[in-house]
């Protein structure tokens, strides 16, 4: 198991930027993919982005392509989500997640992730 702690959420105006961080411990961080998901009030949790174990491959949900960037620093056991051009509809609780399998691909389904953080609230205001 891996323990994940998100940080960096908060209130931001539409069009602004925010960077989320997710610190991992408990497993060898550099051996598995990391993802970000989000859940808005009254909606199901949705895929945001994922990065493979080495950081060489990423994938994004359609709603955030071109605005969000995922990255990782394996030396710091941390994955980041840089969010730009934020919209009201980006308001949600953001969760980071660690893939179940080692050296896998860029998973996009919740079932492929076995460890989750507690979430951090991002609120975009007009």
């Amino acid at each position: 198991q891996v323990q994940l702690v998100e940080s960096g959420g908060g209130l931001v105006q539409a069009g602004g930027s925010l960077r989320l961080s997710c610190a991992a411990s408990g497993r060898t961080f550099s051996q598995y993919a990391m993802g970000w998901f989000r859940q808005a009030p009254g909606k199901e949790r949705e895929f945001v982005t994922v990065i493979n174990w080495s950081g060489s491959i990423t994938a994004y949900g359609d709603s955030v392509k071109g605005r969000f960037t995922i990255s990782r620093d394996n030396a710091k056991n941390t994955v980041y989500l840089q969010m730009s051009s934020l919209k009201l509809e980006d308001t949600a609780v953001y969760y980071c997640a660690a893939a179940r399998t080692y050296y896998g691909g860029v998973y996009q389904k919740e079932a492929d992730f076995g460890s989750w953080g507690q979430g951090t609230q991002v609120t975009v205001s007009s």
Side-chain angles (χ1 to χ4, degrees):
Q1 278 287 3
V2 61
Q3 290 74 48
L4 303 172
V5 179
E6 303 99 334
S7 61
L11 177 65
V12 61
Q13 286 192 326
S17 299
L18 206 60
R19 189 177 83 156
L20 306 182
S21 300
C22 174
S25 62
R27 278 170 62 191
T28 306
F29 181 74
S30 61
Q31 293 179 341
Y32 48 91
M34 293 292 298
W36 286 95
F37 290 75
R38 68 185 182 185
Q39 187 168 22
K43 295 187 177 181
E44 294 186 352
R45 189 154 55 184
E46 67 169 340
F47 168 76
V48 175
T49 181
V50 63
I51 188 167
N52 76 327
W53 60 275
S54 68
S56 61
I57 305 172
T58 58
Y60 295 89
D62 289 342
S63 61
V64 306
K65 281 180 181 176
R67 300 188 298 120
F68 289 12
T69 302
I70 189 172
S71 62
R72 66 189 297 161
D73 185 337
N74 286 346
K76 295 183 177 180
N77 290 354
T78 302
V79 62
Y80 304 97
L81 179 61
Q82 179 67 47
M83 305 183 292
S84 302
S85 301
L86 283 161
K87 304 177 181 179
L88 297 179
E89 52 264 41
D90 293 319
T91 295
V93 177
Y94 284 71
Y95 299 90
C96 70
R100 294 182 184 275
T101 59
Y102 291 105
Y103 301 119
V106 283
Y107 308 108
Q108 299 185 25
K109 296 181 180 179
E110 289 188 49
D112 292 319
F113 295 84
S115 299
W116 295 80
Q118 82 288 352
T120 186
Q121 176 71 46
V122 172
T123 302
V124 183
S125 65
S126 59

